[in-house]
C-alpha cells in the first residue's frame, strides 16, 4: 500500500516537477543581456545636470520591456546608490515595439536600448574630487521563457568646473534621443465608437502612413492584443482601439503613438504622462536594493522560509475554508478507530501524499507560468471564474452527499463519496487534494513572506518551500493517525455520527455560497446566471443518479443517462463565464479609490499619506480584515482626520499593476497592506490587522483615543 501511495504522489506531482525542471534553464540572464552605465559628459559640474544612459544589449531573439510591459513582463528598474545631494530624474523611455507572445501582446525592446536618466549634481560638489555613481539594474529578459536578471553597475566621474562630451559616446546618446517620442505637433482627442475608442490626431498632410500602434502609459487601459485599426484622411489620422477597462474615460487615454510616414518612423507623446514615483536617491545617501522587510521579518534563507511555510500551513487548518473538510476526515477516523494501527497510519500517509502532491503540482505550474512571463501569484487559479465555478460545483456535490441526497457508487463517482463516507485510501488521498484546493483562497500568517520568497528563488528552492507549506497543512491529521491511541479520546461510533455528518454539510454549503459571491464579482449577469444554473444541473444529476439505485434495468439506464447529460450541461455552461468577465466590477465604498500606479505616484508626489489595500474577493483573510478592522468607524474617522488616501487594489481578476507591486514587496498574493507617507518607502503591515496596527501606521492613534 505504501507503494500505491508513493505512486499516486509521483503521478500527481510529476507535472509540477517537470514544469519546474523545464524552468531550470542553464541559460543565465547575464549571458543574454550586457548592461552598462554611461555618461554623456566626461565630468560632473557642480549645480549642473548630466545625462546618464542605462545601456542594455540583448542576445538576438530576446527582449526586455517598456515602462508598461503590456500583457506580461516587468520593466527594467534601477536601484541607485548615489552620494548625498545627488538626485536622478525620471527615466526617459524610447518608443517600444509590439512583441506578440502567443495570445498576448507585450511592449518592449529587442537588439539594444538605452534608457536616458538625468542626474542633478549638487552645488556643493567639490571640484577636483571623484564621484562614484552606482546601482543595481533589475530586469526581465524573455524569449519563449523569461529569466530575471540583475547587474551591478557603477561609473566613476571627476567633478570639474566644466565638462566636455564623453569620448565615443556621442553616437549612442544621439540614437537614444532620436528614439524618444516627440510632442504631438497637432491636436489630439479620444472619442467613443460603440464599445471601442477612437484616437484622433488632427494633422493634415499625413501621407503614406502605415504600421500605426498606440502604447498606453496605464496598464490595463487597452486590450493590448486586439487589432488597432488605422484610417487616414485629409484631417489627419484615426486609430480605433479596444479598451481593456469598460470604465476607461476617453480623456484618460494617454501614451505614445508610433507610425511610419513616407518611410520614416515617427512617434508622438499624447496626453500627460503619469507622475513618476519620487526616487529615494534624491533624499538619502544610498537606496536600499529592496524595500524593507515588515516588522518582525528578517532577510529570509531557505530554511527560515521553509519554517515560516510550515507554520503557515499549520495555521491554514484553522481557516474557514479548510476546517470543514478536515472535520469530515476526522469523522471518518472515528469509524476507523477499530481498525489496525497500520491501516490508520496508511490513511494519514495517503492524506499527506494528496496534500503534498497538490502543493507540488500547483507550485510547479506557478513556477512555469511565471518563468513564461505571466503576472500571477498565490491563489492565481481563483482569478478564473471557470475554476471558481467548478470548485463550487464539486463542493456542492459533496454537500449533497453529506446530506444523504445521493449515495455515490464505485468508479470515478466513488472518489467523491470516498471523501465523506468510504474508508478507502483513495478517499484519504483525495481529501488531501480537496483540502489543498479549498486552502488556496486563504493566506495564513507567515505564508506571505515565505511564498513570496519562494517565487523569487530557484525552482528547487520554491518546491522545497511549497512542500513545507503542504506538510504544515497535513501535519495535524498525520500526527493523529501516527498515534492511533489518540483516537480512543474520540467518542465511540454511533447514530450521532449521521447527525454530525448532516450538520457538516452546511459549512460546505456556506462555502459554496461564498464561491458564488466571488463569481458575482468576476462576471456579469449572464455569467452569474450560467453559474447558478450549473448548480441546479449538479443537483439534478445527483437526484437522477440516486433514483437509478432504486429503478429497474431500463429505469437505471435512463436515470444515469439523465444524470450524465445534466452534469455535462453544467460543465458546458462554464464556457459562458470567461466571455462575460468584461462587465464585472467591484463597487468601492465611500472614501476609497481604485488603485493605479499612476494615482499612487501622484498622491506620493503631493506628500499625502496613502493606505494601499491589496485584496481579492476570493481572499477570506482580506474580507475578514476589511469587515472587522478597515470598515470600523474608528479607522474610517482616522483616515478622514489624517486625510489619508485609501487605494483599493482589487486582485479578484488579473491586474498586472497589482502583481508588480506585490512582487516589489516580495509577495506573491494578497492580502498586502502598505502605508506610504509622502516620498518615504512604504511600511508593510501584518497580514492580520488590528485597529491599533492601522492607526499607528497612519499616525492617528490620538483619533482612536478621542473616539
Amino acid at each position: 500500500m505504501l507503494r500505491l501511495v508513493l505512486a499516486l504522489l509521483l503521478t500527481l506531482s510529476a507535472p509540477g516537477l517537470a514544469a519546474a525542471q523545464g524552468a531550470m534553464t542553464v541559460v543565465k540572464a547575464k549571458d543574454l543581456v550586457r548592461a552598462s552605465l554611461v555618461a554623456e559628459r566626461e565630468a560632473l559640474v557642480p549645480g549642473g545636470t548630466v545625462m546618464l544612459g542605462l545601456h542594455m544589449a540583448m542576445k538576438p531573439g530576446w527582449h526586455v520591456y517598456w515602462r508598461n510591459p503590456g500583457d506580461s513582463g516587468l520593466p527594467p528598474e534601477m536601484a541607485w546608490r548615489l552620494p548625498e545631494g545627488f538626485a536622478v530624474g525620471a527615466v526617459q523611455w524610447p518608443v517600444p515595439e509590439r512583441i506578440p507572445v502567443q495570445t498576448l501582446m507585450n511592449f518592449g525592446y529587442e537588439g539594444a536600448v538605452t534608457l536616458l536618466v538625468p542626474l542633478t549634481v549638487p552645488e556643493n560638489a567639490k571640484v577636483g574630487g571623484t564621484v562614484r555613481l552606482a546601482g543595481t539594474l533589475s530586469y526581465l529578459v524573455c524569449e519563449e521563457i523569461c529569466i530575471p536578471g540583475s547587474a551591478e553597475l557603477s561609473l566613476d566621474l571627476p567633478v570639474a568646473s566644466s565638462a566636455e562630451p564623453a569620448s565615443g559616446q556621442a553616437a549612442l546618446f544621439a540614437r537614444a534621443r532620436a528614439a524618444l517620442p516627440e510632442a504631438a505637433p497637432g491636436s489630439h482627442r479620444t472619442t467613443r465608437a460603440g464599445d471601442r475608442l477612437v484616437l484622433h490626431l488632427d494633422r493634415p498632410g499625413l501621407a503614406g502612413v502605415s504600421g500605426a500602434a498606440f502604447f498606453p502609459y496605464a496598464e490595463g487601459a487597452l486590450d493590448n492584443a486586439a487589432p488597432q485599426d488605422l484610417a487616414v484622411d485629409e484631417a489627419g489620422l484615426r486609430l480605433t482601439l479596444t479598451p481593456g477597462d469598460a470604465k476607461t474615460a476617453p480623456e484618460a487615454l494617454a501614451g505614445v503613438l508610433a507610425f511610419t510616414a513616407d518611410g520614416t518612423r515617427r512617434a508622438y507623446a499624447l496626453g500627460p504622462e503619469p507622475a513618476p514615483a519620487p526616487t529615494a536617491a534624491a533624499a538619502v545617501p544610498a537606496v536600499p536594493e529592496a524595500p524593507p522587510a515588515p516588522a518582525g521579518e528578517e532577510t529570509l534563507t531557505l530554511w527560515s522560509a521553509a519554517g515560516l511555510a510550515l507554520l503557515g500551513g499549520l495555521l491554514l487548518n484553522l481557516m474557514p475554508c479548510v476546517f470543514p473538510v478536515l472535520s469530515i476526515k476526522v469523522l471518518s477516523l472515528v469509524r476507523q478507530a477499530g481498525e489496525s494501527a497500520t491501516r490508520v497510519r496508511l490513511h494519514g500517509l495517503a492524506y499527506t501524499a494528496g496534500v503534498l502532491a497538490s502543493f507540488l503540482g500547483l507550485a510547479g505550474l506557478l513556477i512555469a507560468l511565471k518563468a513564461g512571463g505571466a503576472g500571477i501569484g498565490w491563489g492565481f487559479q481563483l482569478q478564473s471564474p471557470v475554476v471558481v465555478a467548478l470548485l463550487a460545483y464539486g463542493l456542492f456535490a459533496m454537500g449533497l452527499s453529506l446530506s444523504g441526497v445521493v449515495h455515490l457508487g464505485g468508479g470515478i463517482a466513488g472518489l467523491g463519496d470516498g471523501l465523506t463516507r468510504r474508508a478507502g485510501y483513495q478517499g484519504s488521498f483525495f481529501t488531501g487534494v480537496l483540502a489543498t484546493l479549498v486552502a488556496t483562497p486563504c493566506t495564513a500568517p507567515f505564508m506571505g513572506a515565505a511564498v513570496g520568497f519562494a517565487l523569487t528563488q530557484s525552482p528547487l528552492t520554491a518546491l522545497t518551500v511549497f512542500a513545507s507549506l503542504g506538510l504544515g497543512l497535513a501535519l495535524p491529521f498525520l500526527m493523529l493517525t501516527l498515534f492511533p491511541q489518540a483516537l480512543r479520546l474520540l467518542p465511540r461510533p454511533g447514530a450521532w455520527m449521521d447527525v454530525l455528518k448532516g450538520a457538516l454539510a452546511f459549512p460546505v454549503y456556506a462555502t459554496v455560497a461564498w464561491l458564488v459571491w466571488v463569481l458575482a464579482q468576476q462576471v456579469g449577469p449572464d455569467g452569474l446566471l450560467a453559474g447558478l444554473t450549473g448548480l441546479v444541473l449538479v443537483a439534478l444529476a445527483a437526484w437522477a443518479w440516486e433514483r437509478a439505485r432504486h429503478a429497474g434495468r431500463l429505469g437505471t439506464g435512463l436515470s444515469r443517462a439523465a444524470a450524465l447529460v445534466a452534469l455535462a450541461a453544467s460543465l458546458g455552461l462554464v464556457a459562458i463565464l470567461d466571455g462575460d468577465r468584461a462587465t464585472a466590477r467591484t463597487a468601492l465604498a465611500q472614501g476609497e479609490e481604485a488603485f493605479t500606479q499612476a494615482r499612487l505616484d501622484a498622491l506620493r508626489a503631493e506628500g499625502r499619506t496613502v493606505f494601499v489595500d491589496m485584496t481579492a474577493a476570493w481572499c477570506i483573510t482580506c474580507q475578514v480584515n476589511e469587515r472587522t478592522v478597515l470598515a470600523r468607524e474608528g479607522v474610517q474617522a482616522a483616515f478622514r482626520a489624517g486625510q489619508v488616501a485609501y487605494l483599493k487594489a482589487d486582485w479578484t481578476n488579473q491586474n498586472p499593476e497589482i502583481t508588480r507591486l506585490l512582487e516589489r514587496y516580495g509577495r506573491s498574493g494578497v492580502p498586502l497592506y502598505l502605508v506610504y507617507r509622502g516620498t518615504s518607502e512604504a511600511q508593510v503591515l501584518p497580514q492580520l490587522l488590528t485597529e491599533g496596527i492601522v492607526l499607528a501606521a497612519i499616525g492617528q492613534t490620538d483619533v482612536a483615543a478621542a473616539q
Side-chain angles (χ1 to χ4, degrees):
M1 183 52 63
L2 283 174
R3 291 180 181 177
L4 172 61
V5 172
L6 290 174
L8 288 170
L9 172 59
L10 292 173
T11 299
L12 284 198
S13 61
L17 293 172
Q21 184 178 9
M24 292 183 190
T25 175
V26 296
V27 179
K28 296 181 179 179
K30 65 180 181 180
D31 298 326
L32 302 171
V33 176
R34 295 195 310 275
S36 58
L37 175 61
V38 295
E40 192 173 19
R41 296 281 174 176
E42 294 280 5
L44 304 174
V45 178
T49 300
V50 64
M51 190 65 73
L52 303 179
L54 297 171
H55 183 69
M56 306 175 71
M58 284 71 72
K59 187 176 180 180
W62 294 78
H63 62 270
V64 295
Y65 292 92
W66 187 50
R67 57 186 298 170
N68 170 8
D71 289 326
S72 65
L74 289 170
E77 184 174 356
M78 183 72 164
W80 292 95
R81 296 187 296 276
L82 303 176
E84 186 174 2
F86 286 74
V88 291
V91 173
Q92 298 179 15
W93 295 88
V95 180
E97 299 286 346
R98 286 167 61 90
I99 303 174
V101 180
Q102 297 182 6
T103 60
L104 306 179
M105 183 62 69
N106 296 334
F107 308 145
Y109 311 101
E110 296 178 321
V113 64
T114 302
L115 307 179
L116 299 181
V117 184
L119 172 75
T120 302
V121 183
E123 294 278 1
N124 61 356
K126 185 179 179 181
V127 175
T130 299
V131 170
R132 165 157 287 198
L133 311 174
T136 303
L137 177 65
S138 302
Y139 57 86
L140 189 69
V141 58
C142 299
E143 188 194 34
E144 292 182 356
I145 63 170
C146 291
I147 302 175
S150 63
E152 294 295 332
L153 306 180
S154 63
L155 181 64
D156 294 327
L157 290 175
V159 180
S161 57
S162 62
E164 297 295 325
S167 175
Q169 301 295 350
L172 184 145
F173 279 90
R175 287 194 300 270
R177 284 193 170 89
L180 298 176
E182 310 170 38
S187 62
H188 57 86
R189 65 189 189 282
T190 308
T191 61
R192 283 199 179 272
D195 59 353
R196 303 190 74 188
L197 301 176
V198 181
L199 178 64
H200 303 260
L201 177 63
D202 299 325
R203 189 186 176 193
L206 288 176
V209 173
S210 63
F214 181 74
F215 303 93
Y217 291 138
E219 297 181 29
L222 296 180
D223 181 346
N224 300 315
Q228 299 190 356
D229 302 322
L230 172 67
V232 181
D233 56 25
E234 295 180 355
L237 175 153
R238 297 191 309 278
L239 197 62
T240 303
L241 310 167
T242 303
D245 183 345
K247 288 186 176 180
T248 299
E251 60 271 18
L253 196 58
V256 174
L257 174 64
F259 58 89
T260 300
D262 296 328
T264 302
R265 191 171 191 235
R266 301 177 184 177
Y268 299 135
L270 307 181
E273 292 193 38
T279 174
V284 297
V287 180
E289 295 183 9
E297 291 183 13
E298 305 294 336
T299 301
L300 290 180
T301 64
L302 169 60
W303 299 116
S304 62
L308 289 175
L310 184 69
L311 290 173
L314 282 168
L315 291 175
L316 274 178
N317 288 282
L318 303 178
M319 295 295 172
C321 42
V322 180
F323 192 74
V325 176
L326 188 59
S327 299
I328 293 166
K329 196 56 198 171
V330 171
L331 183 63
S332 72
L333 278 183
V334 176
R335 295 192 184 94
Q336 300 158 10
E339 296 184 3
S340 68
T342 299
R343 284 184 59 82
V344 172
R345 291 189 181 104
L346 286 175
H347 278 291
L349 291 174
Y351 171 80
T352 303
V355 172
L356 291 177
S358 302
F359 267 99
L360 290 174
L362 181 62
L365 179 61
L366 190 56
I367 293 166
L369 290 174
K370 286 184 74 69
I376 56 175
W378 176 254
F380 72 96
Q381 67 275 25
L382 292 171
Q383 292 177 329
S384 166
V386 173
V387 173
V388 172
L390 291 177
L391 188 56
Y393 293 173
L395 288 174
F396 187 52
M398 177 180 172
L400 293 175
S401 178
L402 288 170
S403 296
V405 174
V406 60
H407 300 279
L408 301 174
I412 295 176
L415 297 179
D417 189 41
L419 297 179
T420 58
R421 297 194 299 115
R422 290 176 56 198
Y425 299 116
Q426 287 181 341
S428 295
F429 182 90
F430 282 99
T431 301
V433 174
L434 181 61
T436 303
L437 290 176
V438 298
T440 52
C442 294
T443 302
F446 311 113
M447 271 184 59
V451 174
F453 168 83
L455 294 178
T456 62
Q457 306 301 308
S458 68
L460 184 59
T461 297
L463 289 174
T464 301
V465 174
F466 273 90
S468 298
L469 184 59
L471 181 60
L473 178 63
L475 197 56
F477 185 81
L478 178 63
M479 295 302 294
L480 189 62
T481 59
L482 291 180
F483 299 96
Q485 57 268 30
L487 295 178
R488 297 171 187 169
L489 301 176
L490 298 175
R492 291 181 176 275
W496 65 270
M497 293 175 57
D498 288 332
V499 176
L500 181 58
K501 186 188 74 168
L504 286 173
F506 292 96
V508 175
Y509 292 141
T511 304
V512 173
W514 165 70
L515 287 169
V516 172
W517 177 80
V518 172
L519 189 65
Q521 314 305 310
Q522 296 177 316
V523 300
D526 291 344
L528 183 59
L529 178 61
L532 292 172
T533 304
L535 288 176
V536 175
L537 291 172
V538 169
L540 175 60
W543 175 80
W545 193 269
E546 183 64 17
R547 294 292 299 174
R549 297 177 65 244
H550 307 289
R553 179 175 299 180
L554 179 60
T556 296
L558 291 175
S559 296
R560 289 188 174 176
L564 293 175
V565 169
L567 187 60
S570 69
L571 297 177
L573 283 172
V574 300
I576 299 175
L577 301 179
D578 264 333
D580 197 37
R581 292 185 75 176
T583 60
R585 293 292 176 266
T586 300
L588 295 174
Q590 185 176 4
E592 296 177 354
E593 295 183 64
F595 166 84
T596 65
Q597 187 64 51
R599 181 58 177 156
L600 173 60
D601 295 342
L603 289 168
R604 293 183 66 195
E606 294 171 7
R608 294 279 299 279
T609 297
V610 185
F611 182 89
V612 180
D613 174 10
M614 309 187 77
T615 182
W618 40 261
C619 170
I620 293 179
T621 309
C622 306
Q623 302 303 319
V624 171
N625 284 334
E626 289 176 17
R627 284 160 174 75
T628 62
V629 177
L630 297 177
R632 294 185 66 173
E633 179 55 32
V635 174
Q636 292 297 312
F639 279 8
R640 293 191 295 269
Q643 295 185 327
V644 178
Y646 189 124
L647 296 186
K648 191 166 188 176
D650 191 342
W651 209 46
T652 301
N653 293 314
Q654 287 189 7
N655 184 311
E657 282 192 311
I658 297 175
T659 303
R660 266 184 272 286
L661 190 58
L662 285 167
E663 291 173 343
R664 185 183 174 202
Y665 288 91
R667 295 293 189 267
S668 68
V670 291
L672 177 63
Y673 305 103
L674 304 174
V675 175
Y676 294 89
R677 292 191 179 185
T679 59
S680 61
E681 189 50 77
Q683 177 185 353
V684 181
L685 304 188
Q687 291 173 305
L688 293 180
L689 296 179
T690 65
E691 187 172 354
I693 289 173
V694 176
L695 295 177
I698 64 175
Q700 294 293 313
T701 51
D702 55 333
V703 175
Q707 290 280 326

